[in-house]
Amino acid sequence: MRTSLARPRGGTAVTKRPNGNHCCLHARARINFGRDLARRHSPVAPQAATGFPSSSSQPEPDSAGPSSSSSTAAVTRSLAHLWPKVSWSRYHLQVLFVDQTDTVRGRLAAGLFERCAEWNGYGRALYPWSAGLAPGAPRDIHAISKLTALMRGASSLEILPRYFTRPPEAFELEDLDRYDLVLALDRSVHAALHESIAAEYPPGPDRDYYTQKVCLLTTFSHYESDAVLTRRGGFALLPAQLSYLLKDGAGGLAASKAVVDIPSPDLASPDGAAQWEAVVAALILSTASLVKYLVDAYPENMPHYDPQD
């Protein structure tokens, strides 16, 4: 892994995030299970991603199913160049979701990503976390009330409480070394991350290396076909609850696919419940598609993993 030349930023004190090679000893068995399950999701076998081993192929979207259309396929092809190259050389991937304040959107995305990864057998190989560009001040009584509402909503989605109870954390340039992929929740965050990289690194390989790690989360929303996203049963990409919320909630799947910037819901507003529902549906779509993309990127010819080596 490259060594970051970035300087630490000042500002709000934050807690340290996990940043090590904390791959579980059982990761290989879980990866094999997840890869076999992923093959059943799609008639197209996963393809190796560039970086390990030396292959330049990218995962191909699953376009099978009655819901596929030529227009959907065209949108998918137009976004393919925005999808990053990932390396499974450490037998696990660490993913960071970044929003403005590390209060709602990034945490919710990380929790849904983890649930989908667990469902697909990759819970010990795909590790999510979240951070914000400018974390807020310590919580006051209004923030505590908001946290209570968030905890209630997260509990209904079976997201672990730890995603909403820990203190907010600030994004640092060093996170580009700590994480394999950094996902921006909206275009303003995406632009700010790229500006930070451009300010730190002159044009060249280092800038290119870090820039390709930073992606807009919703660019993955069109990776999978509607048929795969809403499939039910043992070979489903999503648990039944999340599949239902994606298909039948907040205007349906088409409305979620139209989202570019994940909004921050105002839970205190009269339509706060509807805003929450729309954000949840958009995040289910993008995080599930991201999980499938990363699963598909697992190379067929990876060497056997031996934790004793």
Side-chain angles (χ1 to χ4, degrees):
M1 175 173 286
R2 294 172 182 260
T3 301
S4 174
L5 303 176
R7 294 183 293 272
R9 289 186 170 190
T12 305
V14 297
T15 58
K16 295 298 291 181
R17 288 186 290 285
N19 64 345
N21 298 330
H22 53 280
C23 183
C24 177
L25 296 182
H26 300 291
R28 178 65 180 177
R30 298 297 296 271
I31 288 174
N32 286 339
F33 171 78
R35 182 173 58 183
D36 292 341
L37 188 60
R39 289 196 185 103
R40 297 168 191 159
H41 289 319
S42 167
V44 180
Q47 300 186 28
T50 300
F52 191 91
S54 57
S55 169
S56 60
S57 60
Q58 285 290 322
E60 294 294 333
D62 180 356
S63 58
S67 299
S68 298
S69 65
S70 58
S71 60
T72 300
V75 171
T76 300
R77 286 193 297 271
S78 70
L79 295 173
H81 71 285
L82 300 175
W83 297 329
K85 301 170 183 177
V86 294
S87 170
W88 276 96
S89 57
R90 294 185 297 153
Y91 295 90
H92 75 282
L93 296 173
Q94 294 178 204
V95 180
L96 182 66
F97 296 91
V98 183
D99 60 15
Q100 287 289 346
T101 61
D102 191 27
T103 304
V104 180
R105 296 176 295 165
R107 296 175 183 234
L108 183 57
L112 290 169
F113 178 92
E114 180 181 64
R115 190 174 175 200
C116 185
E118 288 278 3
W119 174 261
N120 286 275
Y122 275 71
R124 299 299 180 267
L126 295 174
Y127 296 94
W129 203 250
S130 69
L133 294 180
R139 295 186 176 102
D140 57 16
I141 186 63
H142 301 290
I144 292 174
S145 176
K146 183 177 182 179
L147 175 63
T148 301
L150 286 173
M151 291 292 295
R152 185 164 54 249
S155 176
S156 69
L157 296 170
E158 299 182 23
I159 294 176
L160 295 177
R162 62 186 171 86
Y163 280 108
F164 288 96
T165 55
R166 63 171 177 78
E169 301 179 13
F171 173 81
E172 303 170 340
L173 277 177
E174 289 88 338
D175 289 329
L176 295 171
D177 283 322
R178 297 182 181 121
Y179 293 89
D180 299 282
L181 198 58
V182 176
L183 285 311
L185 272 292
D186 60 53
R187 284 172 291 185
S188 65
V189 172
H190 184 259
L193 294 175
H194 278 270
E195 289 171 4
S196 297
I197 295 171
E200 185 66 28
Y201 302 102
D206 283 342
R207 180 187 288 187
D208 294 342
Y209 170 74
Y210 291 117
T211 297
Q212 67 89 29
K213 279 190 171 187
V214 178
C215 305
L216 184 65
L217 176 59
T218 52
T219 59
F220 293 92
S221 298
H222 297 273
Y223 177 71
E224 269 302 349
S225 68
D226 295 2
V228 171
L229 288 165
T230 57
R231 186 177 295 166
R232 301 293 179 92
F235 296 148
L237 178 62
L238 285 164
Q241 177 200 17
L242 300 187
S243 179
Y244 171 80
L245 292 174
L246 175 61
K247 184 177 180 180
D248 300 323
L253 186 57
S256 295
K257 283 197 169 185
V259 174
V260 177
D261 298 324
I262 303 292
S264 182
D266 181 1
L267 302 179
S269 69
D271 64 339
Q275 291 186 37
W276 172 263
E277 182 180 323
V279 169
V280 167
L283 286 175
I284 290 172
L285 170 62
S286 55
T287 56
S289 298
L290 174 60
V291 167
K292 184 59 162 54
Y293 178 86
L294 298 177
V295 169
D296 285 351
Y298 190 87
E300 291 284 347
N301 55 345
M302 283 282 282
H304 178 68
Y305 173 72
D306 185 351
Q308 301 302 320
D309 289 346

Coordinates of all heavy atoms in Angstrom, one line a residue, residues 171-224:
F171 N -13.4 13.3 8.3 CA -12.6 12.7 7.3 C -11.2 13.3 7.3 O -11.0 14.5 7.5 CB -13.2 12.9 5.9 CG -12.4 12.5 4.7 CD1 -12.3 11.2 4.4 CD2 -11.6 13.5 4.1 CE1 -11.5 10.8 3.3 CE2 -10.9 13.1 3.0 CZ -10.8 11.8 2.6
E172 N -10.2 12.5 7.1 CA -8.8 13.0 6.9 C -8.2 12.4 5.7 O -8.6 11.4 5.2 CB -7.9 12.5 8.1 CG -8.5 12.9 9.5 CD -7.8 12.2 10.6 OE1 -7.1 11.2 10.4 OE2 -7.8 12.7 11.8
L173 N -7.2 13.1 5.1 CA -6.6 12.7 3.9 C -6.0 11.3 4.1 O -5.9 10.5 3.1 CB -5.6 13.7 3.4 CG -6.1 14.8 2.5 CD1 -5.0 15.8 2.2 CD2 -6.9 14.4 1.3
E174 N -5.5 11.0 5.3 CA -4.9 9.7 5.6 C -5.9 8.6 5.4 O -5.5 7.4 5.2 CB -4.3 9.7 7.0 CG -3.1 10.5 7.2 CD -3.4 12.0 7.6 OE1 -4.6 12.4 7.3 OE2 -2.6 12.6 8.2
D175 N -7.2 8.9 5.4 CA -8.2 7.9 5.2 C -8.1 7.3 3.8 O -8.6 6.2 3.5 CB -9.6 8.4 5.4 CG -9.9 8.7 6.8 OD1 -9.4 8.0 7.7 OD2 -10.7 9.7 7.1
L176 N -7.5 8.0 2.8 CA -7.3 7.5 1.5 C -6.4 6.3 1.5 O -6.4 5.5 0.5 CB -6.9 8.6 0.6 CG -7.8 9.7 0.3 CD1 -7.2 10.9 -0.4 CD2 -9.1 9.2 -0.4
D177 N -5.5 6.2 2.5 CA -4.6 5.1 2.7 C -5.3 4.0 3.5 O -5.1 2.8 3.3 CB -3.3 5.5 3.3 CG -2.4 6.1 2.3 OD1 -2.4 5.7 1.1 OD2 -1.7 7.1 2.7
R178 N -6.1 4.4 4.5 CA -6.7 3.4 5.4 C -7.8 2.6 4.7 O -8.0 1.5 5.1 CB -7.3 4.2 6.6 CG -6.3 4.9 7.5 CD -7.0 5.6 8.6 NE -6.1 6.3 9.5 CZ -6.2 7.6 9.7 NH1 -7.2 8.3 9.2 NH2 -5.3 8.2 10.5
Y179 N -8.5 3.2 3.7 CA -9.6 2.6 3.1 C -9.4 2.3 1.6 O -8.7 3.0 0.9 CB -10.9 3.4 3.3 CG -11.3 3.5 4.7 CD1 -10.8 4.5 5.5 CD2 -12.1 2.6 5.3 CE1 -11.1 4.6 6.9 CE2 -12.5 2.7 6.6 CZ -12.0 3.7 7.4 OH -12.3 3.8 8.7
D180 N -10.0 1.2 1.2 CA -9.9 0.8 -0.2 C -10.8 1.6 -1.2 O -10.5 1.7 -2.3 CB -10.2 -0.7 -0.4 CG -9.3 -1.6 0.4 OD1 -8.2 -1.8 -0.1 OD2 -9.7 -2.0 1.5
L181 N -11.8 2.1 -0.6 CA -12.8 2.9 -1.4 C -13.5 3.9 -0.5 O -13.8 3.6 0.6 CB -13.9 1.9 -2.0 CG -14.7 2.3 -3.1 CD1 -13.8 2.7 -4.3 CD2 -15.7 1.2 -3.5
V182 N -13.7 5.1 -1.0 CA -14.3 6.2 -0.3 C -15.5 6.6 -1.1 O -15.4 7.0 -2.3 CB -13.3 7.4 -0.1 CG1 -14.1 8.5 0.6 CG2 -12.1 7.0 0.7
L183 N -16.7 6.6 -0.5 CA -18.0 6.9 -1.2 C -18.5 8.2 -0.7 O -18.8 8.3 0.5 CB -19.0 5.7 -1.0 CG -18.8 4.4 -1.7 CD1 -18.6 4.7 -3.2 CD2 -17.7 3.6 -1.1
A184 N -18.7 9.1 -1.6 CA -19.4 10.4 -1.2 C -20.9 10.3 -1.3 O -21.4 9.7 -2.3 CB -18.8 11.5 -2.1
L185 N -21.6 10.9 -0.4 CA -23.1 10.7 -0.4 C -23.7 11.8 -1.3 O -24.9 11.6 -1.6 CB -23.6 10.9 1.1 CG -23.7 9.6 1.9 CD1 -24.8 8.7 1.4 CD2 -22.3 8.9 2.0
D186 N -23.0 12.8 -1.7 CA -23.6 13.7 -2.7 C -22.5 14.4 -3.5 O -21.3 14.2 -3.1 CB -24.5 14.8 -2.0 CG -23.8 15.6 -1.0 OD1 -22.7 16.2 -1.3 OD2 -24.2 15.7 0.2
R187 N -22.9 15.2 -4.5 CA -21.9 15.7 -5.4 C -21.0 16.8 -4.7 O -19.8 17.0 -5.1 CB -22.6 16.3 -6.6 CG -23.0 15.2 -7.6 CD -23.8 15.7 -8.7 NE -25.1 16.2 -8.3 CZ -26.1 16.6 -9.0 NH1 -25.9 16.7 -10.3 NH2 -27.3 16.9 -8.5
S188 N -21.6 17.5 -3.7 CA -20.8 18.5 -3.1 C -19.7 17.9 -2.2 O -18.5 18.4 -2.2 CB -21.7 19.4 -2.2 OG -22.2 18.7 -1.1
V189 N -20.0 16.8 -1.6 CA -19.0 16.1 -0.8 C -17.9 15.5 -1.8 O -16.7 15.5 -1.5 CB -19.6 14.9 0.0 CG1 -18.6 14.0 0.7 CG2 -20.5 15.5 1.1
H190 N -18.4 14.9 -2.9 CA -17.5 14.3 -3.9 C -16.5 15.4 -4.4 O -15.3 15.1 -4.5 CB -18.4 13.8 -5.0 CG -17.6 13.1 -6.1 ND1 -17.3 13.6 -7.3 CD2 -17.1 11.8 -6.1 CE1 -16.6 12.8 -8.0 NE2 -16.4 11.7 -7.3
A191 N -17.0 16.6 -4.7 CA -16.2 17.7 -5.2 C -15.2 18.1 -4.1 O -14.0 18.4 -4.4 CB -17.0 18.9 -5.6
A192 N -15.6 18.2 -2.9 CA -14.7 18.6 -1.8 C -13.6 17.6 -1.6 O -12.4 18.0 -1.4 CB -15.5 18.8 -0.5
L193 N -13.9 16.3 -1.7 CA -12.9 15.3 -1.6 C -11.8 15.4 -2.7 O -10.6 15.3 -2.4 CB -13.5 13.9 -1.5 CG -14.4 13.6 -0.3 CD1 -15.1 12.3 -0.5 CD2 -13.6 13.6 1.0
H194 N -12.3 15.6 -3.9 CA -11.4 15.7 -5.0 C -10.6 17.0 -4.9 O -9.4 17.0 -5.3 CB -12.2 15.7 -6.3 CG -12.5 14.3 -6.8 ND1 -11.7 13.5 -7.6 CD2 -13.5 13.5 -6.5 CE1 -12.2 12.3 -7.8 NE2 -13.3 12.3 -7.2
E195 N -11.1 18.1 -4.4 CA -10.4 19.3 -4.2 C -9.3 19.1 -3.2 O -8.2 19.6 -3.4 CB -11.3 20.4 -3.8 CG -12.2 20.9 -4.9 CD -13.3 21.9 -4.5 OE1 -13.3 22.2 -3.2 OE2 -14.1 22.3 -5.3
S196 N -9.6 18.4 -2.1 CA -8.6 18.1 -1.1 C -7.4 17.3 -1.7 O -6.2 17.6 -1.4 CB -9.2 17.3 0.0 OG -10.2 18.1 0.7
I197 N -7.7 16.3 -2.5 CA -6.6 15.5 -3.2 C -5.8 16.4 -4.1 O -4.6 16.4 -4.1 CB -7.3 14.4 -3.9 CG1 -7.9 13.4 -2.9 CG2 -6.2 13.6 -4.7 CD1 -8.8 12.3 -3.6
A198 N -6.5 17.2 -4.9 CA -5.8 18.1 -5.8 C -4.9 19.1 -5.1 O -3.8 19.5 -5.6 CB -6.8 18.8 -6.7
A199 N -5.3 19.6 -4.0 CA -4.5 20.6 -3.2 C -3.3 19.9 -2.6 O -2.3 20.6 -2.4 CB -5.4 21.2 -2.1
E200 N -3.4 18.6 -2.3 CA -2.3 17.9 -1.6 C -1.3 17.3 -2.6 O -0.1 17.3 -2.3 CB -2.8 16.8 -0.7 CG -1.8 16.1 0.1 CD -1.2 17.0 1.2 OE1 -1.8 18.0 1.6 OE2 0.0 16.8 1.6
Y201 N -1.8 16.9 -3.7 CA -0.9 16.1 -4.7 C -0.9 16.8 -6.0 O -1.9 17.1 -6.6 CB -1.4 14.7 -4.8 CG -1.4 13.9 -3.6 CD1 -2.6 13.7 -2.9 CD2 -0.3 13.4 -3.0 CE1 -2.7 13.0 -1.7 CE2 -0.3 12.8 -1.8 CZ -1.5 12.6 -1.1 OH -1.6 11.9 0.0
P202 N 0.3 17.1 -6.6 CA 0.4 17.6 -8.0 C -0.1 16.6 -9.0 O -0.2 15.4 -8.7 CB 1.9 18.0 -8.1 CG 2.5 17.0 -7.2 CD 1.6 16.8 -6.0
P203 N -0.4 17.0 -10.2 CA -0.8 16.0 -11.2 C 0.3 14.9 -11.4 O 1.5 15.2 -11.4 CB -0.9 16.9 -12.5 CG -1.2 18.3 -12.0 CD -0.4 18.4 -10.7
G204 N -0.2 13.7 -11.4 CA 0.7 12.6 -11.6 C 0.1 11.3 -11.0 O -1.0 11.3 -10.6
P205 N 0.9 10.3 -10.8 CA 0.4 9.0 -10.4 C -0.2 9.0 -9.0 O -1.2 8.3 -8.8 CB 1.7 8.1 -10.4 CG 2.6 8.8 -11.3 CD 2.4 10.2 -11.2
D206 N 0.4 9.8 -8.1 CA -0.2 9.8 -6.7 C -1.6 10.4 -6.7 O -2.5 9.9 -6.1 CB 0.7 10.6 -5.8 CG 1.9 9.9 -5.3 OD1 1.9 8.6 -5.5 OD2 2.9 10.5 -4.9
R207 N -1.8 11.5 -7.4 CA -3.1 12.1 -7.5 C -4.1 11.2 -8.2 O -5.2 11.0 -7.7 CB -3.1 13.5 -8.2 CG -4.5 14.1 -8.3 CD -4.5 15.3 -9.2 NE -3.8 16.5 -8.6 CZ -3.8 17.7 -9.2 NH1 -4.5 17.9 -10.3 NH2 -3.2 18.7 -8.6
D208 N -3.7 10.6 -9.3 CA -4.5 9.6 -10.0 C -4.9 8.4 -9.1 O -6.1 8.0 -9.1 CB -3.9 9.1 -11.2 CG -3.7 10.2 -12.3 OD1 -4.3 11.3 -12.1 OD2 -2.8 10.0 -13.2
Y209 N -3.9 7.9 -8.3 CA -4.2 6.8 -7.4 C -5.3 7.1 -6.4 O -6.2 6.3 -6.2 CB -2.9 6.4 -6.8 CG -3.0 5.4 -5.7 CD1 -3.2 4.0 -5.9 CD2 -2.9 5.8 -4.3 CE1 -3.4 3.1 -4.9 CE2 -3.0 4.8 -3.3 CZ -3.2 3.5 -3.6 OH -3.3 2.6 -2.6
Y210 N -5.2 8.3 -5.8 CA -6.1 8.6 -4.7 C -7.5 9.0 -5.3 O -8.5 8.8 -4.8 CB -5.6 9.7 -3.8 CG -4.4 9.2 -3.0 CD1 -3.1 9.7 -3.1 CD2 -4.6 8.2 -2.0 CE1 -2.1 9.3 -2.3 CE2 -3.6 7.7 -1.3 CZ -2.3 8.3 -1.4 OH -1.3 7.8 -0.6
T211 N -7.4 9.7 -6.4 CA -8.7 10.2 -7.0 C -9.6 9.1 -7.4 O -10.8 9.2 -7.2 CB -8.3 11.1 -8.3 OG1 -7.6 12.3 -7.9 CG2 -9.6 11.5 -8.9
Q212 N -9.0 8.0 -8.0 CA -9.9 6.9 -8.4 C -10.5 6.1 -7.3 O -11.4 5.4 -7.5 CB -9.1 6.0 -9.4 CG -8.0 5.2 -8.7 CD -8.4 3.9 -8.1 OE1 -9.4 3.3 -8.6 NE2 -7.7 3.4 -7.1
K213 N -10.0 6.4 -6.1 CA -10.6 5.7 -4.9 C -11.9 6.4 -4.4 O -12.7 5.8 -3.7 CB -9.6 5.8 -3.7 CG -8.5 4.7 -3.7 CD -7.8 4.7 -2.4 CE -6.9 3.6 -2.2 NZ -6.3 3.5 -0.8
V214 N -12.1 7.6 -4.9 CA -13.2 8.4 -4.4 C -14.4 8.4 -5.4 O -14.2 8.8 -6.6 CB -12.8 9.9 -4.1 CG1 -14.0 10.7 -3.6 CG2 -11.7 9.9 -3.0
C215 N -15.5 7.9 -5.0 CA -16.7 7.8 -6.0 C -17.9 8.4 -5.4 O -18.1 8.4 -4.1 CB -16.9 6.3 -6.3 SG -15.5 5.4 -6.9
L216 N -18.8 8.8 -6.2 CA -20.2 9.1 -5.8 C -21.0 7.9 -5.6 O -21.1 7.0 -6.5 CB -20.8 10.0 -6.8 CG -22.2 10.6 -6.5 CD1 -22.1 11.6 -5.3 CD2 -22.8 11.3 -7.7
L217 N -21.6 7.7 -4.4 CA -22.2 6.4 -4.1 C -23.3 6.0 -5.1 O -23.4 4.9 -5.5 CB -22.8 6.5 -2.7 CG -23.6 5.3 -2.2 CD1 -22.8 4.0 -2.2 CD2 -24.2 5.6 -0.8
T218 N -24.1 7.0 -5.5 CA -25.2 6.7 -6.4 C -24.8 6.3 -7.8 O -25.7 5.9 -8.6 CB -26.2 7.8 -6.5 OG1 -25.5 9.1 -6.8 CG2 -26.9 8.0 -5.1
T219 N -23.5 6.4 -8.2 CA -23.2 5.9 -9.5 C -23.3 4.4 -9.6 O -23.4 3.8 -10.7 CB -21.7 6.3 -9.8 OG1 -20.8 5.7 -8.9 CG2 -21.5 7.8 -9.9
F220 N -23.4 3.7 -8.4 CA -23.6 2.3 -8.4 C -25.0 1.8 -8.5 O -25.3 0.7 -8.7 CB -22.9 1.6 -7.2 CG -21.4 1.8 -7.1 CD1 -20.8 2.9 -6.5 CD2 -20.6 0.8 -7.7 CE1 -19.5 3.0 -6.5 CE2 -19.3 0.9 -7.7 CZ -18.7 2.0 -7.1
S221 N -25.9 2.8 -8.4 CA -27.4 2.5 -8.4 C -27.9 1.8 -9.6 O -28.9 1.1 -9.6 CB -28.2 3.7 -8.1 OG -27.9 4.3 -6.9
H222 N -27.1 2.0 -10.8 CA -27.6 1.4 -12.0 C -26.7 0.2 -12.4 O -26.8 -0.3 -13.5 CB -27.5 2.4 -13.1 CG -28.4 3.6 -13.0 ND1 -29.7 3.6 -13.4 CD2 -28.2 4.8 -12.3 CE1 -30.2 4.8 -13.1 NE2 -29.3 5.5 -12.4
Y223 N -25.9 -0.3 -11.4 CA -25.1 -1.5 -11.7 C -25.9 -2.8 -11.9 O -25.6 -3.6 -12.8 CB -24.1 -1.7 -10.6 CG -23.2 -2.9 -10.8 CD1 -22.2 -2.9 -11.8 CD2 -23.4 -4.0 -10.0 CE1 -21.4 -4.1 -12.0 CE2 -22.6 -5.2 -10.2 CZ -21.6 -5.2 -11.2 OH -20.8 -6.3 -11.4
E224 N -26.9 -3.0 -11.1 CA -27.7 -4.2 -11.2 C -29.1 -4.0 -11.9 O -29.6 -2.9 -11.9 CB -28.0 -4.8 -9.8 CG -26.9 -5.7 -9.3 CD -26.8 -6.9 -10.2 OE1 -27.6 -7.1 -11.1 OE2 -25.8 -7.7 -10.1

